[in-house]
Every structure is written in structure tokens, then in C-alpha cells.
Amino acid sequence: MKKKEHVNESGEVMLEGLIVYTITVFLLFFLLAIFSVLFQAWNVQTIANETAAKAAATYKLADSDLADPYVSVEQITGISRFRYWFGDDSLEREAETKSFEYSQDRLQKTTYTKAVTQPEVVVQVKEDTLARRHIEVTITGEYTVPFGEALSYFGFDSIAHYETASAECLDLIDYIDTVDFAGKQCSLDILGSSLVGAINKMMKLIHDITD
């Protein structure tokens, strides 16, 4: 009876273990890269939302600080009544400057991935309707992916993010005053109640005849 020879399989086990270990490490790096991309996209969007909300809430306060929510009584009482008259765009320019500085500071403090290019922040104040406007903040940046050199073969060396946020400017006093003024100017009260009543009766008569 022929004896069965013992085969040493330790080399095959080591090779299989090395393959599994390599794949596992690669998957971990890949998941870390994907997480970094998703986190940076969320971070840029969050900063854009914060910047737009803070700038819109303090739009009428030219000397306010977006990083500090405290507003003094002097700032409120010092608001000009003619802040939107005669084409004055000082509030708009102040809001754009403060928004740019705030977003740049937040990006530097909360971003741990390296920026390929300097992040670009565009702030615009857009008119909606009478006495209503909103701020639009757009942040564009390109950031490297961790282990990007190894993952560059799969197209993950760098990722560009383009996020836009907007918020309505809060200036209720100006809105109420403008609406009241427009309502009085567009009404027929200045003609007198008797004349307005006669016009209404005449229009009603014409409407009944044509019907």
C-alpha cells in the first residue's frame, strides 16, 4: 500500500491571505476617499447655506458681523430710513464683502482635504418684487481626494464642488412701509369717496348693459 505524501500548503495560504489583505486595504482606502468626497460636498453646501442665511438676516445692518449674532441697540436705531433710495447699493456691497470673508474663513477652518485651487465665492443680491430681495451664494472649489495618486487610475484624483444657496433678506419694516405707500398711491381715496362711488356705479351699469 502506497503511503499518501503530505503536501505543504502554507505557501498557498500565505498567497491567498496576501490577496485578501490587499483587497481589504484597497477597499478601506476607497471607502475613505468616497467619504471624504461626500463630506466635502456636504461641507461646502452647509457653508453656502450658513453664509446666505446669516447675510440675509442682517442685510439691513451694514456694520454687523456674520460670525457674531449679537446686534446692539445702536446698530438697530442707526438704520437709515433711506437705505434703498436714490440707487444706494452700499448695503449690497457690504453684504457681498461680509459673505465672502465669512465663507472663506469657514472653508479654511472646516476643510481637511487639500484644495487644488483657491475656492471661489460669488455673492449676488437679486431683486424679487417690490421691497423684496434675496442673497445668492455660490461656492466653487476643487479638492484632492485622500490617496488620490493611487486612486487616480480610477478617476478619483480630485473632485470639483459647485454649490449654491439662497436666502430671503429680512427687512420687514421697509417692506411694510413700501407696501403701505404703494397701496395709498394706487388707491382712489384721494379722489374722494363720492367720486369713487359714482365711478363704481357707472362701471357696474356698463357691465350690466354689456352682459
Side-chain angles (χ1 to χ4, degrees):
M1 186 175 179
K2 190 177 181 179
K3 293 184 178 180
K4 184 182 291 186
E5 296 182 1
H6 178 70
V7 180
N8 188 359
E9 298 180 352
S10 59
E12 296 180 4
V13 174
M14 291 179 60
L15 180 59
E16 292 175 356
L18 180 61
I19 294 174
V20 172
Y21 177 78
T22 304
I23 295 176
T24 303
V25 172
F26 175 79
L27 289 177
L28 289 176
F29 287 164
F30 183 77
L31 291 176
L32 178 61
I34 295 298
F35 170 78
S36 300
V37 171
L38 296 177
F39 172 79
Q40 190 59 29
W42 171 84
N43 186 48
V44 173
Q45 182 65 69
T46 300
I47 293 176
N49 292 337
E50 287 183 1
T51 304
K54 290 178 178 292
T58 59
Y59 181 75
K60 61 183 176 182
L61 303 172
D63 55 348
S64 63
D65 186 5
L66 298 188
D68 185 7
Y70 175 77
V71 178
S72 64
V73 178
E74 290 77 12
Q75 288 177 307
I76 297 176
T77 56
I79 298 176
S80 174
R81 294 188 177 185
F82 311 102
R83 52 190 175 277
Y84 304 118
W85 288 36
F86 313 112
D88 187 7
D89 60 347
S90 58
L91 290 179
E92 179 177 344
R93 286 186 279 104
E94 286 291 337
E96 293 176 355
T97 301
K98 292 186 296 184
S99 300
F100 179 82
E101 295 175 352
Y102 176 80
S103 57
Q104 288 283 7
D105 181 66
R106 292 280 285 119
L107 284 172
Q108 292 179 0
K109 292 181 178 179
T110 59
T111 301
Y112 71 91
T113 54
K114 183 179 179 181
V116 178
T117 58
Q118 182 69 16
E120 181 180 355
V121 181
V122 178
V123 182
Q124 294 179 318
V125 179
K126 298 185 177 181
E127 299 287 339
D128 295 326
T129 57
L130 188 63
R132 300 189 67 173
R133 58 192 60 83
H134 72 274
I135 289 182
E136 189 174 279
V137 178
T138 302
I139 299 178
T140 305
E142 185 176 359
Y143 300 89
T144 58
V145 177
F147 315 105
E149 294 182 0
L151 297 174
S152 61
Y153 299 100
F154 301 91
F156 290 104
D157 53 343
S158 64
I159 297 294
H161 296 288
Y162 177 87
E163 307 294 344
T164 301
S166 60
E168 184 177 0
C169 298
L170 301 177
D171 199 343
L172 297 179
I173 297 178
D174 176 69
Y175 178 74
I176 294 173
D177 291 342
T178 304
V179 171
D180 289 344
F181 176 79
K184 291 179 180 179
Q185 296 300 318
C186 296
S187 66
L188 299 177
D189 294 341
I190 57 176
L191 300 178
S193 58
S194 58
L195 180 58
V196 173
I199 294 176
N200 288 334
K201 291 180 180 179
M202 183 66 67
M203 296 299 295
K204 185 176 182 303
L205 178 61
I206 296 175
H207 181 269
D208 293 340
I209 293 175
T210 55
D211 286 348

